[in-house]
Amino acid sequence: MDATVTIHRAPWIIPVTRPVLADGGIAVRQGRIVAMGPFADLRAGFSGRPVVDHEQQVLLPGLVNAHAHLELSHLSHLNQTRPAGFTTWVEALLAARMADGRSDEEILAAAADTLARMHADGVIAVADIGNTPVARGLQETFPGVLLHFTEYLGHGRAGLPAHLDRLAREESRTCCTAHAPYSVHAVLLQELKKRARRLGHIFPIHVAETAAEVEMVSTGRGELPAFLRRRGFWDGSFRPTGIDNTGSVQYLHDLGVLDDKTLCVHAVHVSEDEIGLLAATGAGVCLCPGSNRFLAVGRPPLAGFLRHGLLPALGTDSLASNPELSLWQEMRLLARAHPQVAPADILAMATLGGARALHLDELGSLKEGRRADILAIALPTPPAHDDELYEFLVTAGRSIQPRWIGER
Ligand SMILES: [Zn+2]
């Protein structure tokens, strides 16, 4: 009955939801984990089965990239120069998309290349946001889980009927989402969330990425209204909360948009009260440290999220705002910016945090019965204790070269 079982042995196994397993084993049958525990126990339980020894390596679950825009991969030249500010970057991005003469095939090829690199870098699941359907077909080519979201943009009241009409015609299997509180009309935002709720879809949305967004949401003033005015979308229909320091999370809560399937991406400018709202509604958080750093928008209140029992996910965002789409690098940036946060928590964000945020119950940790999407990573020197192991994984960045084992 166990003829197809292979035992993977390693000096360290990180299940994520349990402590590090020293001299552990994982029994894999046809792409599934059938048992995990001390190697000696597995050896006895599956006698005669082949053993693959992963010497001086650590085994851990595949990573989850909870926020990316694959369709922007061909615009990587935008990450070569730091923009003067956030809206300057948005304008440069819009201009680059307009001016770029590349065909859909070329855009798709760049997106496919980015996705393949992510998988080679240890990513098993990606939440991909697109304004066009170009990258949607990549789902079939990805060995892991690729969730694609069609993102709506539309701030003005005039465009509302057309957006709602388009939304009503979307196929029910298409996951639709809103770009951000500052770029989507409140009514459209609510209708998008209502639809996602009805269909059981995850609802990722950029939230509180910049201080300018908080200013617009609370006062209706600042560089974002000015930007919308320049583009002809500021028509006075936006209703600010009118209360100082009331941010985007409170705004979304007031619109009835927060629940356990809403994923607040960036969440940089979030108050302590708003962290409490996120925790109370069960909404998810996805941090994008590399993109935040490139656009110089600030640092999220990570310690506050963890104190409230939230485990954020991690995302790379796109090559248009991040020179390197690597979750190892995202962990490294986060660890450097938040030295008070335990490295084990940061690794949990890149695995379990992402799986929870995207409701991918099969992923994010190693457990019996789950998919055997397991990474093996060589360690330059044996760690003296578990903390040193976690420390290495979240600070080594691009020097980590993972290998997939146990795949079907
Ligand atoms: Zn984004």
Side-chain angles (χ1 to χ4, degrees), residues 67 69 206 266 317:
H67 186 71
H69 304 256
H206 300 85
H266 292 299
D317 226 336

Side-chain angles (χ1 to χ4, degrees), residues 239-300:
R239 294 276 162 267
T241 61
I243 306 164
D244 283 353
N245 302 319
T246 301
S248 303
V249 172
Q250 179 69 53
Y251 173 79
L252 291 182
H253 183 58
D254 292 348
L255 293 181
V257 165
L258 297 184
D259 64 25
D260 69 334
K261 288 201 168 162
T262 299
L263 180 58
C264 297
V265 179
H266 292 299
V268 173
H269 298 273
V270 177
S271 70
E272 187 72 19
D273 285 350
E274 288 183 310
I275 298 175
L277 266 182
L278 291 167
T281 56
V285 168
C286 175
L287 307 182
C288 304
S291 172
N292 294 162
R293 182 166 174 259
F294 178 76
L295 296 173
V297 294
R299 290 174 184 173

Side-chain angles (χ1 to χ4, degrees), residues 63-67 124-129 145-147 149 200-204 260-263 265 284-286 313-314 351-361 363:
L63 310 181
V64 178
N65 186 346
H67 186 71
I124 194 63
V126 181
D128 178 41
I129 314 286
V145 179
L146 177 61
L147 302 174
F149 297 88
H201 293 166
I202 308 292
F203 192 73
D260 69 334
K261 288 201 168 162
T262 299
L263 180 58
V265 179
V285 168
C286 175
L314 287 184
T351 50
L352 187 64
R356 281 186 186 160
L358 301 174
H359 291 244
L360 299 171
D361 300 335
L363 305 177

Side-chain angles (χ1 to χ4, degrees), residues 75-86 88-90 92-93 291 293-296 319-323:
L75 301 176
S76 59
H77 61 277
L78 290 172
N79 73 40
Q80 298 302 302
T81 320
R82 282 252 166 93
F86 180 73
T88 312
W89 174 79
V90 175
L93 173 64
S291 172
R293 182 166 174 259
F294 178 76
L295 296 173
L319 279 170
S321 69
N322 192 349

